[in-house]
Amino acid sequence: MAEMWLPDNYEVPESEPRYMKFQKGTNRFRIMSRPIIGWEYWTEDEDGRHPNRVKNRDEIPKDMNGEAKHFWAFIVWNSDAETFQILEITQKTVQKAIRSLASDVDWGNPEDYDIVVERSGEDLRTEYTVNPKPVKKLDKTVLTAFNDFTCNLSALYDGGDPFAAEEVEDENEVPF
């Protein structure tokens, strides 16, 4: 009998998704950091399409200005995936709803409660509904894990890896 090249019952491990994307249906998350904000546009080269992010609109190349979208990016606890991820929001309806919650004296800082974004429809008919959940402390195990979590959101501006083990800058200076 031939020797097994891989162990019996071996399965290739699934990689944890590092970015949260709104799926059809319910998307529940807790915002864990202040956002970085800016403008995103996409370019294409022989390796495919790539996002480019800049802090200010005047940094967008003139030929891309019409295609750039305003973005927010922050760290979230994705309740469904039970992991920390980066959530980038370019949808104005979602941005406006979260900004409204953050400005409301009864809701306040969105780091204090979960948010549910319901995505329905497809393509140009995609709609988003944003609902806050009651203010509730985050589970202690999640908070402990977050203290050990490293993510440099500012690396997104340079096209770098925000999860690289480099020194994390504190550039989350833009309040809601």
Side-chain angles (χ1 to χ4, degrees):
M1 182 164 166
E3 186 175 327
M4 293 296 295
W5 187 65
L6 289 172
D8 288 341
N9 300 323
Y10 174 80
E11 291 184 29
V12 176
E14 295 290 324
S15 62
E16 249 182 53
R18 296 298 202 71
Y19 292 84
M20 180 178 182
K21 293 188 184 233
F22 294 135
Q23 305 298 319
K24 275 191 176 182
T26 301
N27 300 270
R28 187 177 184 135
F29 58 92
R30 172 72 64 102
I31 296 174
M32 300 298 295
S33 70
R34 294 181 65 160
I36 63 166
I37 63 170
W39 296 89
E40 176 186 71
Y41 61 94
W42 290 75
T43 55
E44 194 163 341
D45 61 20
E46 62 276 353
D47 295 328
R49 285 179 46 95
H50 305 283
N52 299 274
R53 297 174 187 93
V54 295
K55 291 181 184 180
N56 302 304
R57 188 174 204 140
D58 60 2
E59 298 175 73
I60 303 167
K62 290 190 185 329
D63 62 330
M64 292 291 168
N65 203 6
E67 297 179 31
K69 290 186 176 186
H70 183 66
F71 80 90
W72 296 358
F74 38 76
I75 301 166
V76 297
W77 171 253
N78 181 334
S79 301
D80 295 329
E82 295 186 343
T83 191
F84 298 107
Q85 296 175 319
I86 293 175
L87 175 59
E88 182 178 340
I89 299 176
T90 58
Q91 299 86 355
K92 290 187 186 315
T93 55
V94 178
Q95 290 173 348
K96 287 178 181 179
I98 294 174
R99 184 176 192 281
S100 179
L101 289 167
S103 301
D104 188 305
V105 294
D106 292 325
W107 286 106
N109 187 343
E111 295 175 32
D112 294 337
Y113 49 89
D114 287 1
I115 295 174
V116 173
V117 173
E118 183 83 24
R119 178 181 167 203
S120 61
E122 289 184 33
D123 301 321
L124 295 176
R125 294 184 180 186
T126 303
E127 293 183 4
Y128 299 91
T129 306
V130 178
N131 291 304
K133 293 299 180 184
V135 173
K136 182 170 102 175
K137 290 187 183 224
L138 202 53
D139 185 89
K140 287 183 182 182
T141 57
V142 174
L143 285 173
T144 301
F146 186 65
N147 290 333
D148 296 331
F149 182 73
T150 303
C151 181
N152 179 6
L153 290 172
S154 295
L156 293 173
Y157 291 127
D158 303 323
D161 179 3
F163 300 102
E166 298 172 1
E167 185 176 321
V168 174
E169 297 176 31
D170 186 14
E171 290 193 19
N172 300 334
E173 70 242 8
V174 182
F176 280 93

